[in-house]
Amino acid sequence: MKIYGLIGNPLTHSFSQQYFRKKFQRLSITDSDYLNFEIDNLFQEVFSLKQNKDIQGLNVTIPYKTDIIAYLD
């Protein structure tokens, strides 16, 4: 399963998961899912996200929009 998602905290305001899940369904994309990753500490948790080979791409929102740049490859 390919995983896409959103990193941020808090994510209760986000409509991304609902939007992308509906889009995948509408386009008959059955091998992918979109998850919210509400994380408390980017430094501690980004490495485990990077180790997950199922994660294909992530969007980033507050408060990590600029801090994530140090971890991009």
Side-chain angles (χ1 to χ4, degrees):
M1 174 74 62
K2 296 176 187 172
I3 297 174
Y4 300 89
L6 178 65
I7 294 174
N9 194 345
L11 294 178
T12 54
H13 67 283
S14 175
F15 63 89
S16 295
Q17 185 177 41
Q18 180 181 358
Y19 171 83
F20 282 104
R21 284 184 167 176
K22 284 182 181 179
K23 184 173 186 123
F24 291 164
Q25 183 178 19
R26 192 171 56 252
L27 296 174
S28 298
I29 299 172
T30 59
D31 67 341
S32 299
D33 197 5
Y34 193 95
L35 304 174
N36 285 340
F37 296 96
E38 189 166 280
I39 59 176
D40 294 319
N41 185 308
L42 182 64
F43 176 76
Q44 290 178 347
E45 300 183 48
V46 73
F47 297 108
S48 62
L49 290 172
K50 288 180 82 168
Q51 295 298 318
N52 185 335
K53 300 299 182 194
D54 293 331
I55 296 176
Q56 303 296 303
L58 297 167
N59 297 320
V60 182
T61 191
I62 295 172
Y64 304 120
K65 276 192 174 287
T66 56
D67 294 339
I68 196 70
I69 293 170
Y71 303 101
L72 299 178
D73 53 22

